[in-house]
């Protein structure tokens, strides 16, 4: 139920007052085991740090000074402030900020009903997978690729810009189980790369060139599926002419891959008809959208209808969300531009749930300054006193997915799981708080008071699924209907008319990017966290800076030295670790640890630029820094 790619099916039970968990042995993807994060969930559930009582801020934002209050007092204050903000500044000055800290359909979507009813502003999500989604829609009309269970008949899977040994362990083990050859393409020699049959280490932002070069080699050597392309691809001739002009020597010089490596990749991909699993991290850069669009062409070249894995999100949760309650179109505020809208006075009331933006959003100095200096009332509903909660006016205790009824789909597979409560400790779920707020506001609309079970049954019905089937087995697979390419031409578009409609080159384009500092900063997720989740309970983080020995030598930095990492956004101090896994010109810090525990996180450095041509997707990895030896 967490915001985790595999979305495992978990068997949980309470024995002697203690929660125990294990992977569901009957679930085809979970296959009876949990990742290390999942195995430690009982400690998270029983954590003494869980919020038990609502809080109202009494000191400065971030000071941690609160007083405990009753639920009635907290809800009344939130409702009064919400009403006051709408009366004085209009409903669009209210923003509900939520994300997928919880994958449950009700817990994710139901609170939005209240904000739709009030005609408030809604978040336009861009933090996670947006640029890649837009790019895949340019080519296929959808970001939903191959059912991962269908890899059983394949020979090769290419993990491109992804570290599944940490972030998609069940998918990685599935590929191993069925004997697929595993190739990895990445800037960093990750734990997945170390366990792969082949590893292609390229320079940042050059993924576009590698994909185009592979396409050139496949086309010019007649290795593409001519019949499939002729019947199903739009713009092949334009694309073929486009890549003809590409110099492989130029590609080699830019990517750092030799001509032999380029040819090995292209010939192997075509011979083995490889499936490409595209990572989310890959597209969180200014080059990300173009990269995914170029990569997406390769599976079609070798004859796959949907030969990529990216998003799944199989069920339509729109009934749970209730946008039909609006009486006018929603104003959508880009997620990555929250600080900007607060600075302009356009957000006066911020309601946060399922998210910790004061850990996860970029350019934290700017965001924190905006919250301190502007008139904005902040409410956070969370399990813990997070960094975001510390900056809030009201904090409401949430419960965990072990304490409520819900259903969850997955980013990765086609199964929907039933989530049944095993115990009840502290806090209230998102739908409970929504009903309380609706009541305090005097709203009588029955859609705001539907029970969780009623909502779940109607969501299932709208997706052609039966509540009885789900209750009997605990999970069901969502049938895959006959699929079409929902592009303007009705075909796979190598020459994208949709992209051209946004003012982009209809063919994937390579661009060089640079910052005002010499080192490119990459900020991937750590093995034991899901963005900021679990830092406070699992206690397993890696705050070190990884730097190539050559870059360290230039700066007089030795293994274990204290260093300062800085740019125009901010600076942090940490310990240097010298590693050949990180190429020269690149440094690495893992993302989004809790500032209240560590004193900093990498998002004090990251850029809040967005990939404007691709839905204002995030560009975390387009950050440049300098490193110097600490005092």
């Amino acid at each position: 139920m967490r915001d985790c790619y595999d979305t495992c099916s978990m068997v949980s039970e309470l024995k002697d007052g203690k929660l125990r968990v294990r992977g569901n042995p009957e679930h085809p993807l979970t296959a009876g085991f949990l990742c290390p994060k999942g195995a430690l969930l009982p400690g998270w559930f029983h954590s003494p740090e869980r919020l038990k009582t609502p809080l109202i801020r009494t000191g400065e934002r971030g000071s941690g000074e609160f007083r405990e209050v009753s639920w009635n007092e907290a809800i009344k204050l939130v409702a009064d402030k919400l009403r006051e903000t709408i009366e004085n500044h209009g409903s669009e000055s209210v923003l509900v900020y939520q994300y997928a800290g919880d994958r449950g359909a009700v817990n994710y979507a139901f609170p939005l009903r209240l904000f739709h009813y009030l005609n408030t502003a809604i978040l336009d999500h861009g933090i996670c997978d947006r640029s890649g989604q837009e790019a895949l829609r340019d080519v296929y009309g959808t970001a939903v690729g191959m059912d991962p269970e269908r890899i059983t008949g394949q020979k090769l899977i290419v993990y491109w810009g992804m570290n599944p040994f940490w972030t998609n362990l069940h998918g990685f083990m599935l590929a191993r189980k069925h004997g697929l050859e595993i190739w990895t393409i990445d800037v960093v020699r990750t734990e997945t790369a170390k366990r792969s049959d082949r590893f292609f280490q390229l320079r940042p932002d050059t993924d576009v060139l590698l994909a185009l070069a592979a396409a050139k080699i496949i086309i010019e050597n007649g290795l593409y599926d001519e019949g499939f392309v002729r019947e199903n691809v739009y713009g092949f001739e334009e694309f073929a002419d486009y890549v003809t002009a590409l110099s492989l020597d130029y590609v080699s010089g830019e990517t750092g891959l030799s001509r032999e490596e380029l040819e090995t990749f292209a010939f192997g991909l075509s011979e083995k008809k490889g499936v490409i699993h595209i990572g989310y991290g890959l597209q969180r850069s200014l080059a990300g959208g173009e990269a995914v669009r170029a990569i997406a062409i390769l599976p079609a070249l070798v004859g796959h209808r949907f030969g990529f894995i990216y998003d799944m999100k199989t069920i339509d949760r729109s009934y749970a969300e209730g946008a039909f309650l609006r009486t006018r179109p929603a104003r959508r505020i880009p997620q990555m531009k929250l600080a900007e809208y607060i600075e302009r006075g356009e957000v006066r009331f911020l309601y946060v749930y399922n998210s910790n933006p004061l850990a996860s959003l970029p350019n934290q100095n700017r965001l924190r300054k905006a919250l301190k200096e502007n008139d904005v009332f902040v409410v956070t509903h969370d399990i813990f006193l997070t960094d975001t909660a510390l900056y809030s006016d009201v904090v409401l205790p949430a419960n965990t997915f072990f304490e409520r009824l819900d259903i969850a789909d997955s980013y990765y597979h086609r199964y929907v799981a039933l989530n049944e409560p095993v115990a009840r400790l502290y806090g209230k779920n998102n739908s409970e708080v929504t009903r309380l707020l609706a009541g305090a506001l005097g709203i009588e609309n029955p859609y705001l008071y539907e029970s969780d079970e009623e909502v779940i049954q109607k969501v299932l019905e709208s997706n052609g699924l039966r509540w009885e089937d789900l209750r009997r087995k605990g999970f069901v697979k969502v049938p895959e209907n006959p699929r079409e390419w929902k592009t303007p031409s009705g075909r796979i578009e190598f020459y994208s008319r949709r992209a051209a409609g946004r003012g982009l080159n209809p063919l994937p384009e390579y661009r060089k990017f640079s910052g005002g500092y010499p080192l490119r900063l990459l900020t991937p997720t750590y093995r034991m966290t899901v963005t900021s989740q679990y830092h406070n309970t699992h206690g397993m983080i890696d705050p070190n800076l990884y730097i190539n020995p050559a870059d360290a030598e230039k700066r007089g930095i030795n293994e274990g030295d204290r260093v300062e990492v800085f740019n125009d956004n901010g600076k942090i101090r940490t310990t240097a670790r010298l590693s050949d896994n990180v190429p020269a010109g690149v440094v690495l810090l893992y993302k989004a640890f809790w500032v209240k525990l560590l004193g900093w996180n990498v998002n004090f450095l990251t850029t809040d630029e967005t990939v404007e041509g691709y839905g204002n997707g995030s560009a975390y990895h387009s950050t440049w820094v300098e490193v110097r030896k600490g005092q």
Side-chain angles (χ1 to χ4, degrees):
M1 289 287 290
R2 308 311 294 158
D3 183 23
C4 189
Y5 195 70
D6 290 14
T7 317
C8 293
S9 178
M10 186 182 301
V11 178
S12 56
E13 56 186 343
L14 211 63
K15 285 192 175 181
D16 301 322
K18 295 296 182 183
L19 179 69
R20 299 183 183 183
V21 298
R22 56 190 171 89
N24 188 343
E26 297 182 8
H27 192 279
L29 275 299
T30 302
F33 75 94
L34 300 175
C35 74
K37 294 186 288 288
L40 292 173
L41 279 170
W44 173 79
F45 174 72
H46 289 292
S47 171
E49 295 181 11
R50 286 187 57 180
L51 292 170
K52 302 174 180 65
T53 306
L55 304 172
I56 292 177
R57 181 171 62 85
T58 57
E60 294 294 317
R61 291 198 193 277
S63 68
E65 296 175 15
F66 295 92
R67 64 181 176 92
E68 295 185 353
V69 299
S70 67
W71 273 98
N72 286 341
E73 182 177 350
I75 291 294
K76 182 179 185 305
L77 176 59
V78 173
D80 288 347
K81 283 291 185 179
L82 185 53
R83 187 185 294 110
E84 176 187 313
T85 303
I86 292 172
E87 289 174 355
N88 292 337
H89 304 286
S91 61
E92 291 185 343
S93 68
V94 174
L95 174 64
V96 53
Y97 186 107
Q98 47 78 239
Y99 205 59
D102 189 299
R103 292 289 302 153
V106 176
N107 214 53
Y108 175 90
F110 188 87
L112 294 172
R113 287 188 174 193
L114 174 62
F115 294 94
H116 283 310
Y117 178 87
L118 296 171
N119 291 306
T120 74
I122 299 295
L123 203 64
D124 189 14
H125 296 129
I127 196 170
C128 184
D129 52 357
R130 182 63 177 274
S131 294
Q133 285 181 338
E134 298 297 333
L136 288 164
R137 289 171 185 149
D138 288 339
V139 180
Y140 292 94
T142 178
V144 175
M146 174 185 285
D147 179 346
E149 289 187 280
R150 292 190 177 181
I151 69 168
T152 56
Q154 304 298 323
K155 297 178 181 178
L156 168 67
I157 188 165
V158 179
Y159 290 114
W160 200 315
M162 184 178 183
N163 186 13
F165 189 73
W166 279 11
T167 60
N168 176 220
L169 183 58
H170 294 86
F172 184 84
M173 297 307 293
L174 184 70
R176 275 279 183 247
K177 175 183 176 182
H178 292 287
L180 275 73
E181 194 169 335
I182 294 177
W183 293 4
T184 295
I185 300 170
D186 212 316
V187 174
V188 176
R189 187 181 298 275
T190 63
E191 292 303 309
T192 301
K194 294 172 185 176
R195 291 165 173 81
S196 298
D197 297 294
R198 287 190 182 275
F199 173 49
F200 301 88
Q201 188 170 23
L202 77 174
R203 295 183 182 124
D205 294 342
T206 62
D207 307 83
V208 179
L209 285 177
L210 174 55
L212 293 177
K216 172 186 174 75
I217 294 167
I218 289 169
I219 292 170
E220 292 182 352
N221 287 276
L223 303 173
Y224 67 99
D225 189 325
E226 188 174 348
F228 179 85
V229 168
R230 182 174 57 253
E231 293 295 321
N232 300 300
V233 169
Y234 174 86
F236 173 75
E237 291 78 10
E238 292 89 340
F239 179 75
D241 289 343
Y242 182 64
V243 297
T244 296
L246 186 64
S247 162
L248 294 183
D249 287 334
Y250 174 75
V251 173
S252 178
E254 291 292 290
T255 62
L257 298 172
S258 67
R259 282 283 296 264
E260 181 181 359
E261 287 177 298
L262 297 176
E263 290 171 355
T264 295
F265 175 67
F267 278 89
L269 183 73
S270 59
E271 177 191 346
K272 298 176 174 69
K273 201 175 177 181
V275 172
I276 300 178
H277 194 151
I278 305 169
Y280 289 172
L282 160 73
Q283 48 86 64
R284 293 177 191 147
S285 76
L286 294 173
E290 295 294 315
V292 173
R293 188 148 62 104
I295 293 164
I297 287 170
L298 296 177
L301 262 185
V302 300
H304 285 296
R305 289 179 55 82
F306 295 94
F308 64 92
I309 299 173
Y310 188 71
D311 275 348
M312 192 56 68
K313 302 175 185 174
T314 49
I315 60 170
D316 179 359
R317 294 183 285 192
S318 59
Y319 179 78
E321 178 176 336
F324 52 81
L325 294 169
R326 299 193 76 89
T327 57
R328 58 178 181 267
R331 182 192 192 195
R332 295 194 173 272
I333 292 180
Q335 186 173 19
M336 309 312 293
K337 297 181 181 290
L338 176 62
E340 178 183 328
Y341 279 76
I342 292 172
E343 289 166 349
R344 297 203 306 243
E346 296 182 38
V347 174
R348 298 297 187 113
F349 186 106
L350 184 65
Y351 186 91
V352 181
Y353 74 95
N354 282 4
S355 190
N356 186 11
L358 267 76
S360 59
L361 280 180
N363 200 352
Q364 281 290 318
N365 281 322
R366 180 183 184 185
L367 177 58
R368 289 159 186 254
K369 184 172 184 286
L371 286 170
K372 284 184 174 181
E373 295 183 357
N374 291 274
D375 181 16
V376 55
F377 192 84
V378 183
V379 180
T380 294
H381 185 203
D382 209 300
I383 302 164
F384 299 102
L385 192 65
T386 63
D387 288 304
T388 303
L390 286 176
Y391 271 67
S392 300
D393 296 280
V394 177
V395 182
L396 304 174
N399 59 18
T400 70
F401 68 89
F402 292 110
E403 300 163 270
R404 57 178 175 259
L405 180 70
D406 214 330
I407 57 173
D409 64 349
S410 173
Y411 293 111
Y412 173 57
H413 54 71
R414 297 194 62 82
Y415 291 92
V416 174
L418 175 64
N419 186 88
E420 295 179 292
V422 69
R424 187 73 186 250
L425 295 186
Y426 317 113
K428 298 183 185 295
N429 64 37
N430 292 338
S431 59
E432 288 178 301
V433 172
T434 303
R435 296 181 192 106
L436 289 174
L437 285 172
L441 289 165
I443 301 171
E444 297 180 355
N445 190 294
Y447 284 109
L448 297 177
Y449 300 96
E450 274 192 301
S451 71
D452 294 349
E453 185 171 329
E454 287 177 305
V455 175
I456 289 168
Q457 289 192 33
K458 289 176 182 177
V459 169
L460 290 172
E461 288 170 10
S462 70
N463 285 274
L465 302 172
R466 286 167 43 88
W467 171 239
E468 294 77 14
D469 294 339
L470 185 60
R471 290 191 68 181
R472 183 173 59 253
K473 192 171 182 181
F475 61 88
V476 293
K477 188 167 187 177
V478 180
E480 188 170 14
N481 297 319
R483 302 191 62 186
E484 300 175 348
W485 300 296
K486 296 178 181 179
T487 59
S489 66
R491 295 182 168 201
I492 301 170
E493 295 201 357
F494 288 10
Y495 183 96
S496 174
R497 294 161 64 179
R498 182 175 182 269
R502 300 199 305 280
L504 301 175
N505 188 331
L507 297 163
E509 192 170 44
Y510 172 59
R511 286 179 57 199
K512 292 185 179 182
F513 296 93
S514 61
Y517 293 85
L519 297 171
R520 183 70 171 268
L521 174 64
L522 302 183
T523 59
T525 194
Y526 184 55
R527 183 182 190 181
M528 296 305 297
T529 57
V530 180
T531 307
S532 70
Q533 294 183 74
Y534 309 136
H535 175 183
N536 63 318
T537 55
H538 294 2
M540 299 179 187
I541 65 168
D542 182 354
N544 298 302
L545 175 82
Y546 289 88
I547 184 170
N548 186 274
D551 290 325
E553 184 179 8
K554 290 178 186 176
R555 293 161 175 81
I557 295 169
N558 297 309
E559 173 71 15
D561 281 350
R562 294 292 292 174
V563 293
E564 185 175 80
V565 189
F566 63 95
N567 61 15
D568 291 345
N569 290 341
K571 61 184 177 181
I572 62 98
R573 290 183 175 87
T574 188
T575 301
R577 299 295 180 201
L578 278 55
S579 175
D580 288 318
N581 294 329
V582 178
V586 172
V587 291
L588 182 149
L589 284 164
Y590 292 112
K591 69 175 180 180
F593 300 135
W594 285 32
V595 178
K596 66 177 280 189
L597 298 179
L598 186 60
W600 58 271
N601 83 18
V602 72
N603 287 324
F604 283 88
L605 301 168
T606 49
T607 181
D608 54 4
E609 286 186 89
T610 62
V611 191
E612 293 185 0
Y614 288 88
N616 281 308
S618 63
Y620 289 93
H621 300 310
S622 290
T623 298
W624 282 263
V625 297
E626 180 56 285
V627 180
R628 60 190 168 211
K629 196 167 181 176
Q631 301 300 318

